[in-house]
């Protein structure tokens, strides 16, 4: 709940500066199924709160929904302000049984495929990555610099919602009491 409130505040902060395109990028892994359902339970509230703000009226805030597993997918035909279409697109995110999580590749794809639309409409672009893991290390190593370059050239901040990701570090330290 706190993370979703923070995302709402970040979106409102950007809306205060002009039109915004928000890209949601969901991890399709089976371990994310519960988290995706929890976000879906709260997403209406986020968009209701955003709809109350004068800065979000009309088409000031558009949303695109993407996801990834072994490959990246876009679930919105075009960015939309229609909350029902956003929820429908989020519900369309499948669970990928492959076990692959091509995170950097998917983030780069999501930004690149929406950069032109955002630039043409004079929109700020932001990406919200919803994941619980760091992604495939080999793919991340291959696509990391290109993804960073794409985000920088698009001036796209990337927000990460995830409770268990160790941000690419190969070890997680835990206190264990028996």
């Amino acid at each position: 709940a706190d993370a979703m409130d923070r995302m709402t505040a970040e979106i409102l902060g950007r809306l205060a500066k002009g039109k915004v395109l928000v890209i949601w990028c969901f991890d399709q892994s089976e371990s994310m199924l519960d988290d995706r359902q929890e976000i879906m339970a709260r997403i209406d509230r986020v968009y209701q709160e955003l709809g109350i703000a004068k800065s979000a009226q009309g088409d000031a805030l558009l949303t695109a929904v993407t996801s990834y597993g072994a490959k990246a997918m876009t679930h919105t035909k075009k960015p939309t302000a229609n909350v029902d279409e956003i929820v429908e697109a989020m519900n369309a995110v499948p669970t990928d049984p492959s076990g692959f999580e091509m995170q950097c590749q998917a983030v780069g794809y999501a930004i690149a495929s929406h950069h032109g639309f955002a630039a043409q409409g004079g929109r700020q672009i932001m990406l919200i990555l919803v994941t619980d893991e760091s992604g495939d290390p080999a793919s991340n190593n291959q696509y990391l610099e290109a993804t960073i370059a794409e985000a920088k050239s698009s001036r796209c901040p990337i927000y990460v919602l995830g409770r268990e990701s160790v941000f690419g570090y190969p070890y997680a330290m835990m206190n264990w009491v028996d």
Side-chain angles (χ1 to χ4, degrees):
D2 290 341
M4 294 301 282
D5 289 345
R6 181 63 187 178
M7 285 297 92
T8 303
E10 291 294 330
I11 294 168
L12 283 171
R14 297 193 58 85
L15 279 167
K17 299 174 187 170
K19 293 181 177 183
V20 175
L21 170 60
V22 174
I23 305 169
W24 289 87
C25 186
F26 290 92
D27 176 344
Q28 296 175 357
S29 66
E30 193 170 335
S31 62
M32 280 297 298
L33 190 56
D34 292 341
D35 290 339
R36 285 197 312 262
Q37 290 172 345
E38 187 174 333
I39 287 170
M40 291 305 302
R42 298 175 193 274
I43 202 71
D44 280 338
R45 187 174 136 234
V46 169
Y47 280 92
Q48 285 174 354
E49 289 176 14
L50 290 169
I52 292 170
K54 281 188 178 184
S55 59
Q57 300 299 315
D59 73 342
L61 173 63
L62 295 181
T63 300
V65 178
T66 65
S67 68
Y68 67 95
K71 64 178 186 167
M73 308 169 97
T74 301
H75 302 282
T76 44
K77 291 179 184 176
K78 63 180 185 174
T80 181
N82 184 313
V83 176
D84 292 334
E85 288 178 21
I86 295 165
V87 169
E88 184 179 319
M90 288 181 176
N91 282 326
V93 173
T95 299
D96 182 349
S98 72
F100 292 109
E101 295 177 23
M102 305 307 191
Q103 189 176 84
C104 280
Q105 187 176 1
V107 169
Y109 162 80
I111 296 169
S113 61
H114 292 91
H115 173 83
F117 179 88
Q120 185 178 29
R123 294 181 182 280
Q124 304 164 77
I125 188 171
M126 60 187 289
L127 185 134
I128 303 170
L129 176 64
V130 183
T131 186
D132 64 348
E133 296 188 34
S134 302
D136 180 69
S139 174
N140 285 348
N141 287 339
Q142 181 179 356
Y143 290 98
L144 179 62
E145 293 303 322
T147 299
I148 291 170
E150 185 66 44
K152 282 182 177 180
S153 72
S154 300
R155 300 181 60 174
C156 177
I158 300 170
Y159 300 87
V160 180
L161 291 180
R163 58 184 159 81
E164 296 161 344
S165 179
V166 291
F167 303 105
Y169 192 70
Y171 307 102
M173 303 302 174
M174 295 175 47
N175 290 329
W176 180 264
V177 179
D178 186 355

